[in-house]
Amino acid sequence: MSFTRPLNQITNSRQKAMEIAQQLLNTLQQAQQGGPQPHLLNYFSLYLSEKILARGPKCKRSSDKGQHTEAFALALVVVLLWAGANRHGIAGFAKTFLGAFTCECPYILLIPDMVTGQTAEDYRRTIGYRGDEKMTVYMDRMQGLLTLYAAVMQTESPAPDIPNPYGLEQAWTWLARILNGNHIAPFTAMSLSVLLDTCSHALAAAYGRQFVKALQLIQTTLLPKLERLQKTEVDKYWQNVLTDQVRQALAAGGRLPPPAGRTLDP
């Protein structure tokens, strides 16, 4: 059973993404039919989740092409695979995938704060650092994973009878949780920046004035807080990026064009 080969074939084609999702679902179903060994299906669900998330760095917006080169194609694979697994009684895949995603990128749930008695090394592990990984590499990886997360939440299934099991309401909940949670520079600014870059078009279309009010809250309340937390050039960079994004979004009434790469080829 191979998961790597289909995932390596992802292109900007909707049809190809659908074919890959079906191949991966077939593999999970084979594991499901392997007999009374639930650990086998759990193993394949985790292994597949890790292979999908390993492609997270490729989902970061391309600096030269200005588009999300793989995020939306991979998001469609995830949505179809997730919906298909639920439909065929493999509900454990969703829990496994979200659990693996949270371990790789805790920002999909919240901005973790350092707890009393926690060492700097322990905190690095809590927020997903890998060993002696440099901050630039880490931030690039987190951006890619957050972009994938935002793409998944706004991706619509091509089949009207198969809705996205983790849709845009999750993005709205995530936004509220981030606004009301811990604020740690530069991670809060980076997380919100990726969400706005990838998901603001869909959120504005779905939530209208509510989304504009959320942008206003970021501008009047959150950004001043983050400015007081600034300690490094990285903090300042992400503060400036988020400030510019919010200003542009508000000037456009919250309605920004869809991100490049959101519309897949046939």
Side-chain angles (χ1 to χ4, degrees):
M1 294 182 180
S2 174
F3 296 128
T4 305
R5 183 177 298 176
L7 290 171
N8 285 340
Q9 296 173 352
I10 287 179
T11 66
N12 201 46
S13 164
R14 176 180 293 269
Q15 182 60 40
K16 187 64 178 178
M18 293 169 64
E19 292 172 2
I20 291 171
Q22 188 59 54
Q23 290 178 50
L24 297 176
L25 179 60
N26 290 344
T27 303
L28 282 182
Q29 287 182 277
Q30 291 174 26
Q32 183 188 37
Q33 296 164 4
Q37 302 179 46
H39 63 278
L40 182 63
L41 180 58
N42 294 339
Y43 168 78
F44 278 112
S45 294
L46 178 59
Y47 184 67
L48 173 54
S49 298
E50 290 173 344
K51 289 299 181 182
I52 291 172
L53 295 172
R55 305 190 70 83
K58 295 179 181 292
C59 294
K60 180 190 171 187
R61 176 190 281 272
S62 171
S63 58
D64 57 335
K65 296 180 181 178
Q67 66 179 18
H68 307 86
T69 52
E70 187 172 306
F72 289 97
L74 185 56
L76 180 56
V77 171
V78 170
V79 168
L80 292 175
L81 176 62
W82 190 331
N86 288 349
R87 195 169 63 254
H88 289 91
I90 315 176
F93 173 76
K95 183 177 180 180
T96 300
F97 179 71
L98 280 176
F101 212 142
T102 305
C103 288
E104 281 290 308
C105 180
Y107 308 118
I108 72 169
L109 286 183
L110 44 78
I111 310 294
D113 201 357
M114 182 180 286
V115 299
T116 303
Q118 189 175 30
T119 66
E121 188 58 34
D122 285 342
Y123 182 64
R124 280 171 59 91
R125 284 194 292 268
T126 298
I127 61 176
Y129 267 94
R130 294 176 176 174
D132 296 328
E133 187 176 37
K134 294 182 178 179
M135 188 175 191
T136 53
V137 176
Y138 167 78
M139 293 292 275
D140 281 350
R141 189 162 56 82
M142 292 300 108
Q143 287 177 69
L145 288 165
L146 283 165
T147 300
L148 174 61
Y149 186 65
V152 166
M153 292 185 290
Q154 66 182 285
T155 292
E156 297 179 358
S157 168
D161 60 330
I162 306 176
N164 183 341
Y166 201 79
L168 198 60
E169 68 281 356
Q170 298 291 338
W172 185 251
T173 299
W174 182 88
L175 177 59
R177 190 163 56 234
I178 293 297
L179 290 177
N180 295 313
N182 298 323
H183 300 139
I184 301 175
F187 307 126
T188 297
M190 181 267 291
S191 300
L192 277 171
S193 174
V194 173
L195 177 80
L196 294 180
D197 181 55
T198 314
C199 213
S200 59
H201 173 79
L203 286 171
Y207 293 96
R209 287 297 304 170
Q210 289 178 282
F211 180 60
V212 172
K213 289 179 180 178
L215 291 172
Q216 291 169 339
L217 183 62
I218 294 172
Q219 185 179 59
T220 59
T221 303
L222 179 59
L223 285 172
K225 286 183 180 179
L226 293 178
E227 187 172 6
R228 291 193 293 271
L229 292 171
Q230 281 185 25
K231 295 180 181 179
T232 68
E233 287 300 313
V234 175
D235 298 347
K236 184 176 180 180
Y237 168 79
W238 283 107
Q239 169 88 12
N240 291 339
V241 170
L242 181 59
T243 298
D244 289 343
Q245 286 176 310
V246 172
R247 185 185 300 118
Q248 292 172 18
L250 285 172
R255 291 192 172 276
L256 295 177
R262 187 176 188 268
T263 302
L264 301 179
D265 297 331

